Amino acid sequence: MLPRFWRKIKYRYNLVGTYCENCGTYYYPPRNLCPKCRRKSKIKEVQLSGRGKVISYSVVHEAPENFKMMMPYVVALIQLDEGPIITSQLVCKPEEVKIGMRVKAVFRKYGEDGESGIIYYGTKFAPDDGR
Ligand code: ZN
């Protein structure tokens, strides 16, 4: 099932969202239908810039089960430059986070399955150094 495999890779390493050509709204995560336009939706897949700003955040002191991560860690509400608002882990120290801070998407290892050798990756955000 090669096409399916590549599709997964694409979603894992790029921030792929959708755009409704009827009303000009971006969506992330991607969706098949625009809730504003419904049957008039003209949805196409787009790659998002992965850049945005922090609009709210909280510091989490408990790690989810089976995840080894630095404690405490930061979960932020991020508004992407294209408009969608998403929740993501922010890779920085709690004292470094500021409302309005510029951030960018990074792809980080989430975990590893020792027996099968599978490595899991996912999107997180980190402070945008401007590069
Ligand atoms: Zn629309």
Side-chain angles (χ1 to χ4, degrees), residues 19-25 27 33-38 40-43:
Y19 176 72
C20 173
E21 290 180 320
N22 193 47
C23 68
T25 307
Y27 294 99
L33 193 77
C34 172
K36 292 182 199 171
C37 306
R38 294 181 179 276
K40 285 190 208 156
S41 301
K42 282 181 80 178
I43 297 291

Side-chain angles (χ1 to χ4, degrees), residues 12-69:
R12 218 169 267 181
Y13 296 100
N14 291 300
L15 207 57
V16 175
T18 49
Y19 176 72
C20 173
E21 290 180 320
N22 193 47
C23 68
T25 307
Y26 287 91
Y27 294 99
Y28 185 85
R31 49 197 308 166
N32 295 324
L33 193 77
C34 172
K36 292 182 199 171
C37 306
R38 294 181 179 276
R39 274 194 303 159
K40 285 190 208 156
S41 301
K42 282 181 80 178
I43 297 291
K44 69 168 187 181
E45 242 176 39
V46 287
Q47 186 172 339
L48 302 171
S49 67
R51 285 167 196 266
K53 64 178 180 187
V54 174
I55 57 173
S56 175
Y57 68 91
S58 57
V59 178
V60 180
H61 294 271
E62 273 172 51
E65 249 180 272
N66 302 325
F67 282 85
K68 287 181 203 136
M69 45 174 71

